[in-house]
Amino acid sequence: MSTAGELLEVSLGPQHPSTHGVFRMNAVLDGETIVKLKPVMGYLHRNHEQIGEGITYIGSFPFTDRLDYFSAMSNNFGLAIAIEKLGGITASERGEYLRIIMAELTRLVNHTAVTGFLLNDMGAFGTPLLYAFREREKILDLFEAASGSRMMCNYVRPGGVRQDVPEDWLKQAKEIVDHYPHFLDEFEKLLTENEIIRQRAQNVGVLSKELAVNASITGPMLRASGVDYDIRKVDGYSLYPRFSFRVPLGSVGDVYDRYYIRILEMRQSVKILQQALKDIPEGPAISPKGAAMGKAPRTFRPAKNEAYGRIEAPKGELGFYLVSDGSPQPYRYHVRAPSFVNLTVLEDLCIGHKVADAIIILGSIDIVLGEVDR
Amino acid sequence: MSLPSLETLFVKPAILLRDLFPESARPWVSIGIAIGAIAAVAPLIMMYLTWIERKLIARMQNRFGPTRVGVYGLLQPMADGLKMLIKEDIAPQGADRLLHAMAPILAVAPAILLFAVLPFGRYLIAADLNVGLLYFFAISSISAYAIFMGGWASRSKFSILGAMRGVAQVISYEVPGVLSAVVVIMIAGTMSTVGIVEAQAQRWFIATPWGFVAGIIFFLSGVAEVNRTPFDMPEAESELVAGFHTEYSGMKFALWYMAEFLEAFAVCAFAVTFFLGGWQGPAVPFWVLTVLGSALIATARKLSLPVRVVATALLLAAGLVWIKEPIPSWMWFLAKTYALVFVLVWLRGTFPRLRVDQLMGLAWKFLLPMALINILAAGLWWFWRDSFIGWFLSAAILALSYWLLILANHPARRFEAALSSRG
Amino acid sequence: MAFIGAGVLRGMGVTFRTFLETYPWGRVLLRGLRQPAVEGLVTIEYPDVKQKHAERFRYFPFLVYDGTPDNLRCVSCKICEQECPPQCIYITGPAKDEQGRPQKANGRTFPVEFKIDVSICMSCRICVDVCPFDAIEMDNQYELSSSERFGSLILNKQELLKPNEYFQRIKPTEASEVDARLAAKRPKPQPVFPPKAP
């Protein structure tokens, strides 16, 4: 019997420490090298879209919190923009500022956490992850003070935000935001030039520009491959054109670039936050139309129409597609989940690499199973 | 009867005990005492190593670590042990039950055997073998068998992958490990652990160019041999669930842990013996230590007041009783060993792990040539040992070869430019 | 590039700093070295120490009453039941007498039974937003764990009823806003002599 070329089929998941939830990779190994890899999704399917078609537009907001549970505020924001387009609602200026502040804080939360998780996937004993969580907690405290909940915020509404932030909140936020670059410096000192991390991450899972565009990858993953596409710049939704920030781009498109892009994006987010916290005007946090809608969700009956609202969520393009038939519930409610679309190239990235690389490639894609499976 | 001196605190009672027996039985009795002492101390060392590791790593991560069981979580190891004991012992279907049960035992036995040649203090050694150094390498490499046996017998894909990694790693790292210790034999002129420690009376080996390099190589390959981060390939929890011990539970799992921690301790202890002067240390008066210790205890907020008072008083009394004596050799040895354990934990708290091929690359492409060149450097140093030339030559050769080796196999050069341009 | 291993050593420096920051003497040492040192231990040891939550912290809803428990604000209009996204509110009512006419207490209809299944509730606060009578509010009581699913995790009307003073205590800002709004809505007592037109 010859054992040469005998392949080993390993099922990584659905219960595996590093699949970020109930996700499964059926890998075929030649020694330790991956020859074939099939992602299996759907273990966390929760009928999100179907539920959304059965309840009012406002009623979907708490469910969007649970899509990508790391960035509830951004998810709310995306749906709010779609509903505003559908119903012709405009947001109050303070509301827009608050939404941008929340969305950028969410980006900080998400990117620190995902960097921590990526390092955990590389085998660090939780240290970067816990540093990330230490800082994340501070921002979650801010979310709690504003919305009443740390993760399931349900805060952003069409027309603005549900409640104005409490007194002192902006001052606390400013303190935390101003401290954030120091934390990032420390974090980078721990990680960026670490030779082990470079060895592990550089040239691993290279995503070419062409493949990234063809597979409609979005978010930091696309920009790490060097494609200049940021919906904040492209669409200029909300008040983003008012702020000055840069879109960092990677050159290689490997795991290391995807890590480093996130660090650079956080620095840009801090810049946006500082501007927003400085310029935020007084006034109502929500426009009258939005407030009326929040008070009585069933009175909101948009005319027969369709709308697609999208934002640059921390993970990529988060889009909500709504079709109205004139009733209080949407006729069709669809979510374009960035995690799900970004995950489709997993096999292309992994083939030819080792098992250990597959894990960190998955980690660098930054998925949340709540969003992948919906 | 007067109190024994600190130096012979443990030896005296052992001798008294031995002398209770007739002349002819005494050699056997002293062997029995040594075995008994090691068998009693080893599990204790292992249990508190887990506690120390958890505490230290927790502190590096802004956490408390175990605090719930006992003061400062001091009873946590006992609770863990108890938990392990009462857990269900599962062998997977289709596993080779005999080998599955034997593997953890085979892993623990050599780990305990290693303690036989460890000179804990000036008179504290179980067996002063004249091949102590070889004994260490011979015994510690048995763990490769245990790992493969455990991984294979589990009949699990993750286990077998972990086991294959483990074998490859342990065997590869043995080579630079042994070669780095060759210089110790060359300079000390003996393989006995006691002899090696005594050869460092003038200067610890770590304080020479070749000793420094050899010490680092020895420590790194030791870390790799006991499968700890950043070289914990066989376990690799984020990839292989738990590697070769994925399918173990209950007491068998605890045995794997025990083997790992004991070997880690042994590696630190042998690194101290070979390079850090073993049990030798400067003659600091003992009372200084007790004063420092009592200050630490007196300010420990979590202890209750009576405990603090009693412990402080006891420590100060001990300082008074042995006021004329320096810190004993066994304390130096333990202090140095635990300092290295701290480094081990520190590495684990900081780094992600390497990849399998990179790990092998490090062993064969970097550590092995360095260890070989180091032998030459040590020879040169010995040849001109009384003059500046030996120091200079060996240091220069080592620095040069370090640079050449880095240049030869540094894979990440092109990223320097990319990184700096990104700002 | 300094030398290979510099990044590794710098990383070890970061962890060692954090290690020192968790000890008082370590912070003293760091300050002695002119390094910034903040309290490193951020853990809150939960059952012994409890986190101080923000005032807006919300958990499960409760029903507000003014004065006595039978004077509850809820009129059993069932808007919250209808709007609750996970459908965790069950209302029976409004209470009716034998003839089938709505019963009234303090001039208002009231629910016979009001149940919230807190194992389904997702604390979204939409019921509070939609309630026209400010009758339902969010509690901040979170220690409700129980070993059985149906007994203690389905809160009935008695368990849900809490006085306005309680609401004032846990959320002073929000409660006074609600009180002001209700006071504005309440019909002014008719003066005995109508004021003369100027």
Side-chain angles (χ1 to χ4, degrees), chain B residues 165-211:
Chain B
R165 285 181 179 189
V167 171
Q169 178 178 330
V170 171
I171 291 174
S172 310
Y173 273 88
E174 210 139 90
V175 181
V178 174
L179 284 177
S180 69
V182 165
V183 292
V184 174
I185 309 172
M186 278 165 60
I187 307 295
T190 170
M191 277 199 251
S192 139
T193 45
V194 175
I196 290 169
V197 172
E198 275 161 0
Q200 301 178 63
Q202 255 62 54
R203 176 183 290 117
W204 297 358
F205 288 161
I206 196 84
T208 57
W210 54 269

Side-chain angles (χ1 to χ4, degrees), chain A residues 188-326:
Chain A
E188 275 208 65
K189 220 173 173 184
L190 180 66
L191 307 177
T192 303
E193 299 204 358
N194 190 318
E195 281 82 1
I196 298 181
I197 293 170
R198 286 198 184 185
Q199 285 234 324
R200 281 301 301 276
Q202 284 180 336
N203 277 339
V204 167
V206 176
L207 175 64
S208 69
K209 251 185 198 182
E210 293 71 36
L211 180 60
V213 173
N214 286 343
S216 66
I217 306 295
T218 46
M221 201 173 158
L222 176 69
R223 293 190 286 275
S225 296
V227 183
D228 188 359
Y229 184 77
D230 186 321
I231 297 168
R232 289 175 294 178
K233 290 278 189 197
V234 176
D235 269 16
Y237 63 91
S238 193
L239 297 178
Y240 274 111
R242 283 196 196 176
F243 301 103
S244 82
F245 64 98
R246 281 168 48 205
V247 178
L249 294 179
S251 51
V252 187
D254 53 6
V255 172
Y256 189 79
D257 272 9
R258 294 202 271 278
Y259 148 73
Y260 202 63
I261 278 287
R262 293 199 169 96
I263 299 276
L264 294 176
E265 272 190 18
M266 281 195 270
R267 294 196 186 276
Q268 295 303 320
S269 283
V270 168
K271 237 167 110 183
I272 297 175
L273 279 167
Q274 280 167 339
Q275 296 169 45
L277 288 169
K278 203 177 82 207
D279 299 340
I280 182 165
E282 291 296 324
I286 187 163
S287 63
K289 228 170 159 182
M293 181 182 171
K295 197 77 189 144
R298 259 163 227 279
T299 58
F300 179 70
R301 294 160 183 265
K304 273 190 187 176
N305 204 349
E306 57 176 11
Y308 179 68
R310 58 177 190 172
I311 60 156
E312 180 69 33
K315 293 181 168 56
E317 174 182 338
L318 175 66
F320 287 90
Y321 176 62
L322 294 168
V323 180
S324 162
D325 58 353

Side-chain angles (χ1 to χ4, degrees), chain A residues 11-62:
Chain A
S11 171
L12 297 155
Q15 291 164 6
H16 187 275
S18 299
T19 49
H20 297 241
V22 277
F23 173 65
R24 182 168 161 205
M25 294 187 280
N26 279 335
V28 179
L29 306 180
D30 177 10
E32 287 235 4
T33 314
I34 292 175
V35 250
K36 218 172 120 189
L37 185 137
K38 188 167 163 263
V40 184
M41 305 166 214
Y43 291 96
L44 201 64
H45 183 55
R46 294 163 303 175
N47 255 332
H48 178 78
E49 293 174 2
Q50 188 68 50
I51 290 174
E53 285 157 20
I55 53 175
T56 56
Y57 290 90
I58 291 287
S60 279
F61 275 95

Side-chain angles (χ1 to χ4, degrees), chain A residues 8-12 16-18 29 31-32 119-127 130-131 134 190 193-194 196-200 202-204 249 251-252 254 256-257 260 264 354 356-357 359, chain B residues 53 57 59-63 157-158 160-162 164-165 229-230 232-233 237-242 348-358 409-412 414-416 418-419 422-423:
Chain A
L8 180 69
E9 199 172 320
V10 179
S11 171
L12 297 155
H16 187 275
S18 299
L29 306 180
E32 287 235 4
L119 264 291
N120 239 28
D121 289 345
M122 283 189 201
F125 194 71
T127 309
L130 279 155
Y131 288 0
R134 185 186 69 203
L190 180 66
E193 299 204 358
N194 190 318
I196 298 181
I197 293 170
R198 286 198 184 185
Q199 285 234 324
R200 281 301 301 276
Q202 284 180 336
N203 277 339
V204 167
L249 294 179
S251 51
V252 187
D254 53 6
Y256 189 79
D257 272 9
Y260 202 63
L264 294 176
K354 303 268 183 287
D357 293 332
I359 302 289
Chain B
E53 172 165 45
I57 287 197
R59 291 286 175 160
M60 285 172 195
Q61 300 175 340
N62 303 88
R63 295 188 289 123
K157 287 167 182 171
F158 291 122
I160 197 76
L161 275 175
M164 289 195 300
R165 285 181 179 189
T229 323
D232 58 343
M233 277 301 105
E237 52 127 37
S238 63
E239 299 138 34
L240 303 181
V241 189
R348 184 162 187 211
T350 310
F351 297 131
R353 75 173 73 83
L354 284 161
R355 209 171 57 205
V356 189
D357 50 331
Q358 292 161 354
N409 53 39
H410 181 40
R414 72 178 181 85
F415 288 95
E416 302 301 330
L419 197 77
R422 263 182 250 154

Side-chain angles (χ1 to χ4, degrees), chain B residues 243-267:
Chain B
F244 62 90
H245 60 57
T246 307
E247 306 290 348
Y248 279 90
S249 62
M251 213 48 210
K252 288 183 196 160
F253 177 74
L255 284 182
W256 279 117
Y257 250 74
M258 186 161 164
E260 182 187 325
F261 276 89
L262 283 181
E263 280 191 20
F265 183 84
V267 161

Side-chain angles (χ1 to χ4, degrees), chain B residues 337-348:
Chain B
T337 306
Y338 278 105
L340 275 190
V341 166
F342 179 83
V343 175
L344 210 63
V345 172
W346 190 7
L347 290 175
R348 184 162 187 211

